Amino acid sequence: MNVMRKLRGSATNAGSGSSGSSSSNASPSASNANGRGNEDALLDARIQMSLATLKKLFNEYTHPKEPLSETERDGKLYEMLPLFCKVFSSCPANDMSEKFWDVVAFCQQVSRLMVSEIRKRASNQSTEAASIAIVKFLEVETTEDTSSGWLLLATLNLLANGDVSLIQVMTAAAVPPTLVKCLYLFFVFPKWRTMSRQLKAQLPVILMPMSVAHCCK
């Protein structure tokens, strides 16, 4: 009888130990899952906040309380580019129209600004001088968020992967021929090899969906 009691007691203790071990093993996994869930929720909240700020700024841009000069308008548009990239670099391109109803109007303004900035640097200059000026504008300086030209490129890259209506807007604004001209200037630029790989790769990536959309017409 004593032997049976001891065996039963051992079995009970083993079961308890096994249960405790399973519980202790499951705890870190559950904790990690909760941690990831909290991080995802925090990231989503930040993106939603950035999207709300973007909408607010663009509404103020299109409906200013007082008339804005061209320089002021461009400055306000540049302020929105990091927000746009932050929001839409982490979500499917098809979500743009759903999340940001003014994306077509935004695309029109970004396209206008890119073409204007490139033409400004290419006009009344030699080929080499124009190449140097455009490269300097488009390349990353200290950080991506403070590099105006690079932010324009990054924004156009995201827009080019969106709805076909955005491609049509960029085409109407002469973005494709402007970027093709940039590629030509870069190829004849004596210091082509010194340009960053990012910049060399970015222009063809932006032009590709535009070319496909044009061929499909």
Side-chain angles (χ1 to χ4, degrees):
M1 291 293 291
N2 290 335
V3 173
M4 292 297 294
R5 286 173 183 168
K6 287 180 180 180
L7 288 174
R8 287 174 183 170
S10 298
T12 301
N13 291 336
S16 300
S18 175
S19 176
S21 175
S22 299
S23 175
S24 62
N25 289 337
S27 181
S29 298
S31 177
N32 289 338
N34 289 336
R36 284 194 298 272
N38 291 337
E39 289 178 4
D40 291 343
L42 183 59
L43 179 61
D44 186 62
R46 287 175 179 171
I47 290 176
Q48 290 300 323
M49 187 178 298
S50 296
L51 179 59
T53 304
L54 173 64
K55 290 178 178 178
K56 178 178 178 292
L57 290 176
F58 192 68
N59 184 63
E60 293 173 353
Y61 172 85
T62 53
H63 302 88
K65 294 180 180 179
E66 297 179 359
L68 300 173
S69 66
E70 185 177 348
T71 302
E72 289 172 330
R73 283 175 60 81
D74 291 349
K76 287 185 176 295
L77 192 56
Y78 274 121
E79 288 179 17
M80 298 179 229
L81 301 184
L83 290 169
F84 182 87
C85 292
K86 180 179 180 180
V87 172
F88 293 107
S89 63
S90 58
C91 73
N94 293 333
D95 287 357
M96 285 186 197
S97 298
E98 180 181 340
K99 292 186 175 182
F100 186 27
W101 292 354
D102 290 326
V103 69
V104 172
F106 179 80
C107 182
Q108 288 174 332
Q109 295 304 315
V110 172
S111 299
R112 173 198 60 78
L113 183 57
M114 172 59 89
V115 172
S116 173
E117 293 284 20
I118 297 300
R119 288 177 177 174
K120 187 190 306 180
R121 287 164 176 78
S123 63
N124 301 321
Q125 295 201 75
S126 66
T127 300
E128 182 175 350
S131 300
I132 293 172
I134 294 171
V135 168
K136 187 175 181 180
F137 172 66
L138 294 178
E139 282 202 302
V140 177
E141 295 176 3
T142 307
T143 64
E144 291 186 5
D145 285 348
T146 59
S147 305
S148 301
W150 179 259
L151 279 172
L152 271 175
L153 274 180
T155 301
L156 285 173
N157 189 20
L158 291 171
L159 290 167
N161 287 284
D163 189 82
V164 68
S165 62
L166 301 179
I167 301 293
Q168 292 170 346
V169 166
M170 286 187 271
T171 302
V175 171
T178 300
L179 296 185
V180 167
K181 184 176 181 179
C182 288
L183 284 174
Y184 167 75
L185 289 173
F186 296 163
F187 275 116
V188 300
F189 180 42
K191 297 183 180 179
W192 165 257
R193 293 183 181 181
T194 66
M195 291 171 57
S196 69
R197 291 182 179 179
Q198 283 179 306
L199 182 53
K200 289 178 183 178
Q202 190 79 317
L203 292 179
V205 168
I206 297 172
L207 286 168
M208 182 61 70
M210 297 183 193
S211 302
V212 171
H214 180 73
C215 293
C216 291
K217 285 184 178 181

